[in-house]
Amino acid sequence: MAADFAATRAMFQLPDGVIYLDGNSLGPLPRGAAERVASCITGEWGDMLITAWNRAGWIDLPRRLGDRIGRLIGAAPGTVVLGDTLSIKVYQALASALELNPGRRVILSDTGNFPSDLYMADGLVRTLGRGCELRTVAPEAVEAAITPDLAVLMLTEVDYRTGRRHDMARLIAKAHEAGALVVWDLAHSAGAIEVDLAGAKADFAVGCTYKYLNSGPGGPAFIYVAPYLADRVRPALSGWLGHAAPFAFDLDYRPGAGIERMRVGTPPILQMAALEASMDIWDRVEMADVRARSIELSEAFLRGVEAACPTLELASPRDPAARGSQVSFRHPEGYAIMQALIARGVIGDFRAPDILRFGFTPLYTTMEEVEAAVRILTGIMATSAWDRAEFRTRAKVT
Ligand SMILES: Cc1ncc(COP(=O)(O)O)c(C=O)c1O
């Protein structure tokens, strides 16, 4: 059954007069979230108090939501769990992968990776103190840099700035051939493109829920561990809720069964309640339909802007198969242009040094909105409406 995107759009609260092309950064509010969170606060936290951990099933929420996200990323039930932030999950996955490959010391990543992933790797290398090394190459050079000394390949599948997409299955096959494990960051993939973790034989994957999955600011991250590794992984962040028997309060750590061991501490229940409301929307669609619509929307935007705004330089791959669900353009005054757009009700964002980013999210973005965004951007560029001091003042968050 084809997805009914008019119905899914109606399930979001979107402000009048705004065209939202930034769901790749922070998803909008699912209408059901306010009600679900309110009932979690009053009916569960308020009325049930601590008994809600059992009576409202809070304790298993990280697994239940993990299974619902798993459907979108090709992960079998019981292989994904939620908790913590994405940076923490990167650390956890990388530490586990390194430990599973004890004879090797090299982590390979690319210079297009999200800086936090590289910072976490750097911190882990220092903490381990066993001479590990983080090596980074240009994204296009990753495949050739997979050498037999590699312990772990750590990549973000879709580049946060340009939307360029790595060939996951191919790089996994190459890395495995070389005896390395692979950690994928799916921040810009989950809910954006079709991902088949099991089919591609991924070892570890991590991602966030506040972008395409709409859990709200600070929503918890997720982690996937392949079933063949899940009972061999020794968690570096060995918190009590990843213990085999948290309520036995043993003094010694024993990892829980499978993916359970990747839990750390008390999960953020209110934020997970918001995510449940978003997953009620996601449950209505198949990723193949979302991806097909995302390509239609992003192609229309890309072609419209290229035709009408010659000074904006395409920063994303032209081939839709080679990019995620965003389109980016470069301009030396990119920041001011984005502020002028936002002032006219078209919300995208800016990434230094010169990237204007636009995300396409079929659950709530319409073709009419894409066409209107192209018109508004064209007007701004044709009249240099961005060329005002007020648009050049940089805010803390860009
Ligand atoms: C690709 C990627 N990795 C990691 C992060 C960091 O996520 P968090 O702030 O949840 O730790 C982000 C944040 O936007 C991201 O885009």
Side-chain angles (χ1 to χ4, degrees):
M1 195 180 69
D4 181 352
F5 291 124
T8 56
R9 179 183 166 87
M11 297 174 81
F12 286 92
Q13 182 179 316
L14 296 158
D16 288 339
V18 166
I19 297 174
Y20 194 57
L21 302 181
D22 215 1
N24 54 314
S25 210
L26 175 69
L29 175 68
R31 285 187 193 280
E35 200 181 306
R36 175 72 195 97
V37 173
S39 91
C40 182
I41 289 175
T42 53
E44 296 174 12
W45 179 18
D47 291 344
M48 298 183 198
L49 294 161
I50 202 164
T51 67
W53 285 104
N54 292 314
R55 287 167 66 202
W58 286 354
I59 195 67
D60 294 321
L61 203 45
R63 276 285 290 279
R64 284 205 305 277
L65 280 165
D67 287 351
R68 292 174 85 179
I69 290 172
R71 186 182 75 84
L72 304 179
I73 55 173
T79 60
V80 177
V81 76
L82 270 75
D84 319 296
T85 70
L86 177 49
S87 302
I88 299 288
K89 282 338 209 190
V90 167
Y91 187 95
Q92 245 191 334
L94 186 59
S96 298
L98 270 178
E99 199 176 2
L100 286 164
N101 222 344
R104 299 185 182 198
R105 298 203 171 106
V106 178
I107 303 162
L108 177 66
S109 191
D110 71 54
T111 51
N113 204 347
F114 192 77
S116 193
D117 294 23
L118 302 177
Y119 305 158
M120 295 309 281
D122 183 59
L124 176 62
V125 162
R126 274 186 288 111
T127 307
L128 288 175
R130 65 170 177 92
C132 289
E133 172 201 343
L134 171 63
R135 204 175 272 171
T136 50
V137 297
E140 305 71 34
V142 166
E143 188 170 336
I146 297 174
T147 45
D149 59 342
L150 208 63
V152 183
L153 176 62
M154 178 188 80
L155 295 172
T156 294
E157 185 188 17
V158 175
D159 187 298
Y160 72 105
R161 271 192 292 224
T162 65
R164 187 249 335 111
R165 176 186 186 181
H166 276 304
D167 185 336
M168 179 185 281
R170 185 181 170 92
L171 291 173
I172 291 174
K174 281 268 170 189
H176 285 176
E177 234 175 74
L181 293 167
V182 189
V183 173
W184 290 97
D185 181 336
L186 303 181
H188 301 270
S189 307
I193 58 176
E194 289 171 277
V195 178
D196 183 7
L197 289 178
K201 299 191 165 43
D203 303 304
F204 293 88
V206 293
C208 59
T209 61
Y210 48 75
K211 300 181 190 294
Y212 294 90
L213 302 180
N214 317 304
S215 67
F222 64 84
I223 185 165
Y224 164 86
V225 181
Y228 87 100
L229 290 174
D231 283 317
R232 286 168 50 201
V233 163
R234 294 206 321 161
L237 302 175
S238 34
W240 73 301
L241 286 185
H243 191 279
F247 288 87
F249 298 104
D250 288 345
L251 292 186
D252 297 319
Y253 181 78
R254 276 184 296 123
I259 196 68
E260 284 286 338
R261 67 185 58 189
M262 300 315 261
R263 294 177 63 164
V264 182
T266 307
I269 295 299
L270 298 181
Q271 203 86 50
M272 287 185 180
L275 178 57
E276 282 189 297
S278 173
M279 295 315 295
D280 289 346
I281 308 175
W282 276 109
D283 286 350
R284 302 165 70 105
V285 297
E286 298 295 331
M287 272 317 298
D289 293 331
V290 173
R291 174 63 169 158
R293 185 66 179 153
S294 146
I295 291 175
E296 284 171 11
L297 297 170
S298 50
E299 284 288 277
F301 185 78
L302 189 158
R303 277 194 245 104
V305 174
E306 275 208 311
C309 307
T311 57
L312 293 178
E313 182 199 339
L314 183 65
S316 300
R318 193 170 298 279
D319 174 7
R323 57 173 199 257
S325 198
Q326 71 180 68
V327 173
S328 306
F329 288 92
R330 283 183 209 283
H331 191 286
E333 293 287 351
Y335 184 81
I337 296 167
M338 185 52 76
Q339 298 317 301
L341 262 174
I342 293 170
R344 284 165 175 72
V346 179
I347 302 183
D349 63 18
F350 170 80
R351 285 293 173 264
D354 57 0
I355 297 262
L356 294 122
R357 277 198 317 182
F358 301 93
F360 297 91
T361 43
L363 291 190
Y364 49 86
T365 306
T366 65
M367 189 58 88
E368 293 68 37
E369 288 180 313
V370 168
E371 288 162 359
V374 171
R375 273 197 307 278
I376 294 167
L377 178 56
T378 303
I380 288 171
M381 297 311 291
T383 59
S384 296
W386 52 266
D387 194 5
R388 289 164 61 161
E390 73 199 73
F391 294 143
R392 289 208 171 84
T393 310
R394 298 242 174 153
K396 199 164 181 182
V397 176
T398 64

